[in-house]
Amino acid sequence: MHLVYPAVLSALLFCTGLYGVLARRNAILVLMSVELMLNAVNLNLVAFDVWLSRAAVDTLHSGQALTLFTITIAAAEIGIGLAIVLAVYRNRGTSDIDRLRDAAEHPDDDPDDEPDDDFGDGPDGEAAATAQAAGKAEATA
C-alpha cells in the first residue's frame, strides 16, 4: 500500500474537522470536530510508522505508541470538555458559542451596581421601557 492513500484521507479528515471548528456554533459539534482532527493525526502517525518500519528491521513502532498517547489525551479532552459544556448549558441555557461569548462577565463589572438604563427618569422613559418589553414579548411569540 502506498503512503499517499492514508495521507490524502488524513488531509481530508483534518480539513473537515477544521471546517467544523471554524463554522459551527454549537460547542458539542466543535468538540466533535476537534476529535475528527485528532483522528486524522492518528491516521498519519500509524501510516508513517508502517511506512518507516519497512525501511528498518528493528523498529520501536513509535508512531503507534504516539497514537495511543493521542487517543488517551483525546478521551480526557472530550470528557472534560463535555462536562464544561453541560455545566455551561445548565447555567446559561444554551451551548451556542456566540451567545456565551457575548454573555461573558468583564472584570470591571460590579454585580452590586444597578444597571444603567437609557430610558430616563421621566414618564417618557417608563413608556419606552414598557414598549421595549412588549416588543421583546412579540419577538419571542
Side-chain angles (χ1 to χ4, degrees), residues 21-51:
V21 167
L22 296 176
R24 299 291 177 186
R25 301 194 189 272
N26 190 347
I28 294 175
L29 291 177
V30 169
L31 286 174
M32 289 174 59
S33 298
V34 168
E35 190 73 24
L36 192 63
M37 292 168 62
L38 288 172
N39 285 331
V41 170
N42 288 339
L43 179 62
N44 254 342
L45 285 171
V46 170
F48 276 97
D49 182 52
V50 169
W51 184 63

PDB file of all heavy atoms in Angstrom, residues 21-51:
ATOM      1  N   VAL A  21     -14.665  23.210  13.144  1.00  0.00           N
ATOM      2  CA  VAL A  21     -14.276  24.090  14.253  1.00  0.00           C
ATOM      3  C   VAL A  21     -14.555  25.542  13.897  1.00  0.00           C
ATOM      4  O   VAL A  21     -15.042  26.312  14.730  1.00  0.00           O
ATOM      5  CB  VAL A  21     -12.784  23.880  14.605  1.00  0.00           C
ATOM      6  CG1 VAL A  21     -12.276  24.973  15.519  1.00  0.00           C
ATOM      7  CG2 VAL A  21     -12.585  22.529  15.269  1.00  0.00           C
ATOM      8  N   LEU A  22     -14.281  25.928  12.658  1.00  0.00           N
ATOM      9  CA  LEU A  22     -14.431  27.326  12.280  1.00  0.00           C
ATOM     10  C   LEU A  22     -15.869  27.719  11.963  1.00  0.00           C
ATOM     11  O   LEU A  22     -16.248  28.880  12.170  1.00  0.00           O
ATOM     12  CB  LEU A  22     -13.548  27.624  11.061  1.00  0.00           C
ATOM     13  CG  LEU A  22     -12.039  27.488  11.290  1.00  0.00           C
ATOM     14  CD1 LEU A  22     -11.292  27.722   9.988  1.00  0.00           C
ATOM     15  CD2 LEU A  22     -11.563  28.437  12.374  1.00  0.00           C
ATOM     16  N   ALA A  23     -16.685  26.797  11.494  1.00  0.00           N
ATOM     17  CA  ALA A  23     -18.021  27.156  11.025  1.00  0.00           C
ATOM     18  C   ALA A  23     -19.131  26.866  12.034  1.00  0.00           C
ATOM     19  O   ALA A  23     -20.190  27.486  11.959  1.00  0.00           O
ATOM     20  CB  ALA A  23     -18.331  26.416   9.727  1.00  0.00           C
ATOM     21  N   ARG A  24     -18.935  25.959  12.938  1.00  0.00           N
ATOM     22  CA  ARG A  24     -20.017  25.565  13.843  1.00  0.00           C
ATOM     23  C   ARG A  24     -20.159  26.536  15.001  1.00  0.00           C
ATOM     24  O   ARG A  24     -19.207  27.157  15.438  1.00  0.00           O
ATOM     25  CB  ARG A  24     -19.772  24.163  14.403  1.00  0.00           C
ATOM     26  CG  ARG A  24     -19.702  23.106  13.360  1.00  0.00           C
ATOM     27  CD  ARG A  24     -21.035  22.898  12.731  1.00  0.00           C
ATOM     28  NE  ARG A  24     -20.919  21.902  11.668  1.00  0.00           N
ATOM     29  CZ  ARG A  24     -21.909  21.603  10.878  1.00  0.00           C
ATOM     30  NH1 ARG A  24     -23.055  22.183  11.018  1.00  0.00           N
ATOM     31  NH2 ARG A  24     -21.737  20.714   9.943  1.00  0.00           N
ATOM     32  N   ARG A  25     -21.370  26.625  15.513  1.00  0.00           N
ATOM     33  CA  ARG A  25     -21.641  27.486  16.656  1.00  0.00           C
ATOM     34  C   ARG A  25     -21.993  26.677  17.902  1.00  0.00           C
ATOM     35  O   ARG A  25     -21.982  27.207  18.993  1.00  0.00           O
ATOM     36  CB  ARG A  25     -22.773  28.441  16.326  1.00  0.00           C
ATOM     37  CG  ARG A  25     -22.452  29.319  15.137  1.00  0.00           C
ATOM     38  CD  ARG A  25     -23.427  30.469  15.043  1.00  0.00           C
ATOM     39  NE  ARG A  25     -23.247  31.187  13.796  1.00  0.00           N
ATOM     40  CZ  ARG A  25     -22.393  32.179  13.650  1.00  0.00           C
ATOM     41  NH1 ARG A  25     -21.630  32.536  14.639  1.00  0.00           N
ATOM     42  NH2 ARG A  25     -22.300  32.795  12.503  1.00  0.00           N
ATOM     43  N   ASN A  26     -22.306  25.422  17.734  1.00  0.00           N
ATOM     44  CA  ASN A  26     -22.640  24.567  18.858  1.00  0.00           C
ATOM     45  C   ASN A  26     -21.355  23.996  19.452  1.00  0.00           C
ATOM     46  O   ASN A  26     -20.509  23.457  18.741  1.00  0.00           O
ATOM     47  CB  ASN A  26     -23.558  23.439  18.382  1.00  0.00           C
ATOM     48  CG  ASN A  26     -24.149  22.660  19.514  1.00  0.00           C
ATOM     49  OD1 ASN A  26     -23.723  22.774  20.660  1.00  0.00           O
ATOM     50  ND2 ASN A  26     -25.141  21.854  19.195  1.00  0.00           N
ATOM     51  N   ALA A  27     -21.206  24.094  20.758  1.00  0.00           N
ATOM     52  CA  ALA A  27     -19.960  23.687  21.406  1.00  0.00           C
ATOM     53  C   ALA A  27     -19.722  22.181  21.284  1.00  0.00           C
ATOM     54  O   ALA A  27     -18.569  21.746  21.156  1.00  0.00           O
ATOM     55  CB  ALA A  27     -19.988  24.106  22.872  1.00  0.00           C
ATOM     56  N   ILE A  28     -20.764  21.385  21.300  1.00  0.00           N
ATOM     57  CA  ILE A  28     -20.589  19.937  21.190  1.00  0.00           C
ATOM     58  C   ILE A  28     -20.100  19.568  19.790  1.00  0.00           C
ATOM     59  O   ILE A  28     -19.229  18.705  19.639  1.00  0.00           O
ATOM     60  CB  ILE A  28     -21.907  19.213  21.536  1.00  0.00           C
ATOM     61  CG1 ILE A  28     -22.220  19.449  23.017  1.00  0.00           C
ATOM     62  CG2 ILE A  28     -21.816  17.732  21.235  1.00  0.00           C
ATOM     63  CD1 ILE A  28     -23.533  18.903  23.471  1.00  0.00           C
ATOM     64  N   LEU A  29     -20.606  20.231  18.774  1.00  0.00           N
ATOM     65  CA  LEU A  29     -20.133  19.965  17.413  1.00  0.00           C
ATOM     66  C   LEU A  29     -18.689  20.421  17.231  1.00  0.00           C
ATOM     67  O   LEU A  29     -17.932  19.807  16.473  1.00  0.00           O
ATOM     68  CB  LEU A  29     -21.046  20.642  16.396  1.00  0.00           C
ATOM     69  CG  LEU A  29     -22.450  20.049  16.296  1.00  0.00           C
ATOM     70  CD1 LEU A  29     -23.297  20.834  15.308  1.00  0.00           C
ATOM     71  CD2 LEU A  29     -22.390  18.595  15.897  1.00  0.00           C
ATOM     72  N   VAL A  30     -18.296  21.481  17.921  1.00  0.00           N
ATOM     73  CA  VAL A  30     -16.903  21.921  17.859  1.00  0.00           C
ATOM     74  C   VAL A  30     -16.000  20.862  18.500  1.00  0.00           C
ATOM     75  O   VAL A  30     -14.928  20.542  17.973  1.00  0.00           O
ATOM     76  CB  VAL A  30     -16.735  23.294  18.538  1.00  0.00           C
ATOM     77  CG1 VAL A  30     -15.268  23.640  18.722  1.00  0.00           C
ATOM     78  CG2 VAL A  30     -17.426  24.367  17.717  1.00  0.00           C
ATOM     79  N   LEU A  31     -16.430  20.294  19.621  1.00  0.00           N
ATOM     80  CA  LEU A  31     -15.647  19.228  20.253  1.00  0.00           C
ATOM     81  C   LEU A  31     -15.541  18.002  19.351  1.00  0.00           C
ATOM     82  O   LEU A  31     -14.487  17.361  19.277  1.00  0.00           O
ATOM     83  CB  LEU A  31     -16.268  18.841  21.596  1.00  0.00           C
ATOM     84  CG  LEU A  31     -16.079  19.828  22.743  1.00  0.00           C
ATOM     85  CD1 LEU A  31     -16.871  19.381  23.961  1.00  0.00           C
ATOM     86  CD2 LEU A  31     -14.617  19.960  23.085  1.00  0.00           C
ATOM     87  N   MET A  32     -16.625  17.675  18.658  1.00  0.00           N
ATOM     88  CA  MET A  32     -16.572  16.545  17.731  1.00  0.00           C
ATOM     89  C   MET A  32     -15.628  16.829  16.563  1.00  0.00           C
ATOM     90  O   MET A  32     -14.931  15.932  16.081  1.00  0.00           O
ATOM     91  CB  MET A  32     -17.980  16.228  17.216  1.00  0.00           C
ATOM     92  CG  MET A  32     -18.873  15.609  18.271  1.00  0.00           C
ATOM     93  SD  MET A  32     -20.573  15.375  17.743  1.00  0.00           S
ATOM     94  CE  MET A  32     -20.385  14.317  16.350  1.00  0.00           C
ATOM     95  N   SER A  33     -15.571  18.070  16.117  1.00  0.00           N
ATOM     96  CA  SER A  33     -14.666  18.433  15.037  1.00  0.00           C
ATOM     97  C   SER A  33     -13.210  18.353  15.483  1.00  0.00           C
ATOM     98  O   SER A  33     -12.339  17.934  14.711  1.00  0.00           O
ATOM     99  CB  SER A  33     -14.986  19.841  14.531  1.00  0.00           C
ATOM    100  OG  SER A  33     -16.291  19.886  14.008  1.00  0.00           O
ATOM    101  N   VAL A  34     -12.932  18.746  16.715  1.00  0.00           N
ATOM    102  CA  VAL A  34     -11.577  18.619  17.249  1.00  0.00           C
ATOM    103  C   VAL A  34     -11.187  17.149  17.333  1.00  0.00           C
ATOM    104  O   VAL A  34     -10.054  16.767  17.018  1.00  0.00           O
ATOM    105  CB  VAL A  34     -11.466  19.312  18.628  1.00  0.00           C
ATOM    106  CG1 VAL A  34     -10.175  18.960  19.327  1.00  0.00           C
ATOM    107  CG2 VAL A  34     -11.589  20.804  18.474  1.00  0.00           C
ATOM    108  N   GLU A  35     -12.134  16.309  17.709  1.00  0.00           N
ATOM    109  CA  GLU A  35     -11.877  14.865  17.763  1.00  0.00           C
ATOM    110  C   GLU A  35     -11.584  14.311  16.367  1.00  0.00           C
ATOM    111  O   GLU A  35     -10.717  13.449  16.204  1.00  0.00           O
ATOM    112  CB  GLU A  35     -13.090  14.166  18.371  1.00  0.00           C
ATOM    113  CG  GLU A  35     -12.872  12.732  18.705  1.00  0.00           C
ATOM    114  CD  GLU A  35     -11.996  12.526  19.917  1.00  0.00           C
ATOM    115  OE1 GLU A  35     -11.907  13.433  20.755  1.00  0.00           O
ATOM    116  OE2 GLU A  35     -11.383  11.450  20.012  1.00  0.00           O
ATOM    117  N   LEU A  36     -12.268  14.806  15.367  1.00  0.00           N
ATOM    118  CA  LEU A  36     -12.011  14.386  13.991  1.00  0.00           C
ATOM    119  C   LEU A  36     -10.607  14.791  13.551  1.00  0.00           C
ATOM    120  O   LEU A  36      -9.908  14.023  12.874  1.00  0.00           O
ATOM    121  CB  LEU A  36     -13.064  14.988  13.064  1.00  0.00           C
ATOM    122  CG  LEU A  36     -13.139  14.463  11.640  1.00  0.00           C
ATOM    123  CD1 LEU A  36     -13.515  13.001  11.644  1.00  0.00           C
ATOM    124  CD2 LEU A  36     -14.144  15.259  10.857  1.00  0.00           C
ATOM    125  N   MET A  37     -10.169  15.971  13.950  1.00  0.00           N
ATOM    126  CA  MET A  37      -8.814  16.414  13.620  1.00  0.00           C
ATOM    127  C   MET A  37      -7.770  15.542  14.311  1.00  0.00           C
ATOM    128  O   MET A  37      -6.740  15.192  13.710  1.00  0.00           O
ATOM    129  CB  MET A  37      -8.644  17.880  14.015  1.00  0.00           C
ATOM    130  CG  MET A  37      -9.461  18.834  13.177  1.00  0.00           C
ATOM    131  SD  MET A  37      -9.549  20.496  13.827  1.00  0.00           S
ATOM    132  CE  MET A  37      -7.853  20.997  13.784  1.00  0.00           C
ATOM    133  N   LEU A  38      -8.013  15.171  15.553  1.00  0.00           N
ATOM    134  CA  LEU A  38      -7.076  14.298  16.259  1.00  0.00           C
ATOM    135  C   LEU A  38      -7.021  12.905  15.630  1.00  0.00           C
ATOM    136  O   LEU A  38      -5.954  12.287  15.576  1.00  0.00           O
ATOM    137  CB  LEU A  38      -7.454  14.206  17.736  1.00  0.00           C
ATOM    138  CG  LEU A  38      -7.175  15.458  18.561  1.00  0.00           C
ATOM    139  CD1 LEU A  38      -7.768  15.314  19.949  1.00  0.00           C
ATOM    140  CD2 LEU A  38      -5.692  15.721  18.652  1.00  0.00           C
ATOM    141  N   ASN A  39      -8.145  12.419  15.143  1.00  0.00           N
ATOM    142  CA  ASN A  39      -8.146  11.121  14.463  1.00  0.00           C
ATOM    143  C   ASN A  39      -7.384  11.180  13.137  1.00  0.00           C
ATOM    144  O   ASN A  39      -6.768  10.186  12.738  1.00  0.00           O
ATOM    145  CB  ASN A  39      -9.572  10.631  14.241  1.00  0.00           C
ATOM    146  CG  ASN A  39     -10.187  10.122  15.521  1.00  0.00           C
ATOM    147  OD1 ASN A  39      -9.491   9.633  16.397  1.00  0.00           O
ATOM    148  ND2 ASN A  39     -11.494  10.253  15.631  1.00  0.00           N
ATOM    149  N   ALA A  40      -7.408  12.317  12.466  1.00  0.00           N
ATOM    150  CA  ALA A  40      -6.605  12.469  11.250  1.00  0.00           C
ATOM    151  C   ALA A  40      -5.119  12.410  11.584  1.00  0.00           C
ATOM    152  O   ALA A  40      -4.335  11.794  10.856  1.00  0.00           O
ATOM    153  CB  ALA A  40      -6.946  13.800  10.571  1.00  0.00           C
ATOM    154  N   VAL A  41      -4.727  13.009  12.688  1.00  0.00           N
ATOM    155  CA  VAL A  41      -3.332  12.939  13.123  1.00  0.00           C
ATOM    156  C   VAL A  41      -2.960  11.501  13.478  1.00  0.00           C
ATOM    157  O   VAL A  41      -1.866  11.031  13.145  1.00  0.00           O
ATOM    158  CB  VAL A  41      -3.105  13.897  14.314  1.00  0.00           C
ATOM    159  CG1 VAL A  41      -1.747  13.674  14.940  1.00  0.00           C
ATOM    160  CG2 VAL A  41      -3.256  15.338  13.869  1.00  0.00           C
ATOM    161  N   ASN A  42      -3.862  10.785  14.143  1.00  0.00           N
ATOM    162  CA  ASN A  42      -3.603   9.379  14.485  1.00  0.00           C
ATOM    163  C   ASN A  42      -3.399   8.531  13.230  1.00  0.00           C
ATOM    164  O   ASN A  42      -2.516   7.671  13.194  1.00  0.00           O
ATOM    165  CB  ASN A  42      -4.751   8.803  15.309  1.00  0.00           C
ATOM    166  CG  ASN A  42      -4.780   9.353  16.708  1.00  0.00           C
ATOM    167  OD1 ASN A  42      -3.768   9.844  17.206  1.00  0.00           O
ATOM    168  ND2 ASN A  42      -5.926   9.272  17.339  1.00  0.00           N
ATOM    169  N   LEU A  43      -4.216   8.778  12.228  1.00  0.00           N
ATOM    170  CA  LEU A  43      -4.066   8.037  10.968  1.00  0.00           C
ATOM    171  C   LEU A  43      -2.708   8.312  10.328  1.00  0.00           C
ATOM    172  O   LEU A  43      -2.040   7.394   9.839  1.00  0.00           O
ATOM    173  CB  LEU A  43      -5.202   8.398  10.015  1.00  0.00           C
ATOM    174  CG  LEU A  43      -5.194   7.724   8.648  1.00  0.00           C
ATOM    175  CD1 LEU A  43      -5.321   6.220   8.798  1.00  0.00           C
ATOM    176  CD2 LEU A  43      -6.304   8.280   7.790  1.00  0.00           C
ATOM    177  N   ASN A  44      -2.284   9.559  10.361  1.00  0.00           N
ATOM    178  CA  ASN A  44      -0.958   9.902   9.830  1.00  0.00           C
ATOM    179  C   ASN A  44       0.150   9.229  10.615  1.00  0.00           C
ATOM    180  O   ASN A  44       1.114   8.733  10.035  1.00  0.00           O
ATOM    181  CB  ASN A  44      -0.749  11.409   9.852  1.00  0.00           C
ATOM    182  CG  ASN A  44      -0.847  12.014   8.489  1.00  0.00           C
ATOM    183  OD1 ASN A  44      -0.750  11.326   7.495  1.00  0.00           O
ATOM    184  ND2 ASN A  44      -1.032  13.318   8.457  1.00  0.00           N
ATOM    185  N   LEU A  45       0.052   9.215  11.935  1.00  0.00           N
ATOM    186  CA  LEU A  45       1.088   8.595  12.762  1.00  0.00           C
ATOM    187  C   LEU A  45       1.232   7.108  12.455  1.00  0.00           C
ATOM    188  O   LEU A  45       2.350   6.595  12.303  1.00  0.00           O
ATOM    189  CB  LEU A  45       0.774   8.802  14.244  1.00  0.00           C
ATOM    190  CG  LEU A  45       1.032  10.191  14.809  1.00  0.00           C
ATOM    191  CD1 LEU A  45       0.470  10.294  16.217  1.00  0.00           C
ATOM    192  CD2 LEU A  45       2.514  10.494  14.815  1.00  0.00           C
ATOM    193  N   VAL A  46       0.117   6.406  12.346  1.00  0.00           N
ATOM    194  CA  VAL A  46       0.170   4.970  12.076  1.00  0.00           C
ATOM    195  C   VAL A  46       0.660   4.710  10.652  1.00  0.00           C
ATOM    196  O   VAL A  46       1.467   3.799  10.424  1.00  0.00           O
ATOM    197  CB  VAL A  46      -1.206   4.314  12.326  1.00  0.00           C
ATOM    198  CG1 VAL A  46      -1.243   2.895  11.832  1.00  0.00           C
ATOM    199  CG2 VAL A  46      -1.549   4.380  13.800  1.00  0.00           C
ATOM    200  N   ALA A  47       0.216   5.506   9.688  1.00  0.00           N
ATOM    201  CA  ALA A  47       0.644   5.303   8.301  1.00  0.00           C
ATOM    202  C   ALA A  47       2.148   5.522   8.158  1.00  0.00           C
ATOM    203  O   ALA A  47       2.836   4.723   7.502  1.00  0.00           O
ATOM    204  CB  ALA A  47      -0.125   6.245   7.376  1.00  0.00           C
ATOM    205  N   PHE A  48       2.670   6.565   8.756  1.00  0.00           N
ATOM    206  CA  PHE A  48       4.103   6.808   8.658  1.00  0.00           C
ATOM    207  C   PHE A  48       4.902   5.776   9.445  1.00  0.00           C
ATOM    208  O   PHE A  48       6.023   5.435   9.068  1.00  0.00           O
ATOM    209  CB  PHE A  48       4.447   8.226   9.102  1.00  0.00           C
ATOM    210  CG  PHE A  48       4.268   9.246   8.014  1.00  0.00           C
ATOM    211  CD1 PHE A  48       3.113  10.000   7.936  1.00  0.00           C
ATOM    212  CD2 PHE A  48       5.247   9.421   7.050  1.00  0.00           C
ATOM    213  CE1 PHE A  48       2.947  10.930   6.935  1.00  0.00           C
ATOM    214  CE2 PHE A  48       5.090  10.341   6.039  1.00  0.00           C
ATOM    215  CZ  PHE A  48       3.932  11.102   5.976  1.00  0.00           C
ATOM    216  N   ASP A  49       4.336   5.280  10.543  1.00  0.00           N
ATOM    217  CA  ASP A  49       5.025   4.236  11.297  1.00  0.00           C
ATOM    218  C   ASP A  49       5.151   2.962  10.462  1.00  0.00           C
ATOM    219  O   ASP A  49       6.205   2.325  10.429  1.00  0.00           O
ATOM    220  CB  ASP A  49       4.286   3.950  12.599  1.00  0.00           C
ATOM    221  CG  ASP A  49       4.993   2.904  13.439  1.00  0.00           C
ATOM    222  OD1 ASP A  49       6.203   3.073  13.693  1.00  0.00           O
ATOM    223  OD2 ASP A  49       4.334   1.922  13.817  1.00  0.00           O
ATOM    224  N   VAL A  50       4.090   2.589   9.778  1.00  0.00           N
ATOM    225  CA  VAL A  50       4.134   1.396   8.928  1.00  0.00           C
ATOM    226  C   VAL A  50       5.089   1.613   7.758  1.00  0.00           C
ATOM    227  O   VAL A  50       5.870   0.729   7.394  1.00  0.00           O
ATOM    228  CB  VAL A  50       2.715   1.039   8.427  1.00  0.00           C
ATOM    229  CG1 VAL A  50       2.749  -0.011   7.334  1.00  0.00           C
ATOM    230  CG2 VAL A  50       1.862   0.572   9.586  1.00  0.00           C
ATOM    231  N   TRP A  51       5.067   2.802   7.182  1.00  0.00           N
ATOM    232  CA  TRP A  51       5.930   3.095   6.051  1.00  0.00           C
ATOM    233  C   TRP A  51       7.404   3.091   6.461  1.00  0.00           C
ATOM    234  O   TRP A  51       8.255   2.574   5.737  1.00  0.00           O
ATOM    235  CB  TRP A  51       5.540   4.438   5.462  1.00  0.00           C
ATOM    236  CG  TRP A  51       6.304   4.814   4.234  1.00  0.00           C
ATOM    237  CD1 TRP A  51       6.311   4.158   3.036  1.00  0.00           C
ATOM    238  CD2 TRP A  51       7.176   5.926   4.088  1.00  0.00           C
ATOM    239  NE1 TRP A  51       7.119   4.807   2.142  1.00  0.00           N
ATOM    240  CE2 TRP A  51       7.665   5.908   2.763  1.00  0.00           C
ATOM    241  CE3 TRP A  51       7.557   6.952   4.929  1.00  0.00           C
ATOM    242  CZ2 TRP A  51       8.532   6.870   2.287  1.00  0.00           C
ATOM    243  CZ3 TRP A  51       8.425   7.910   4.445  1.00  0.00           C
ATOM    244  CH2 TRP A  51       8.912   7.853   3.142  1.00  0.00           C
TER     245      TRP A  51
END
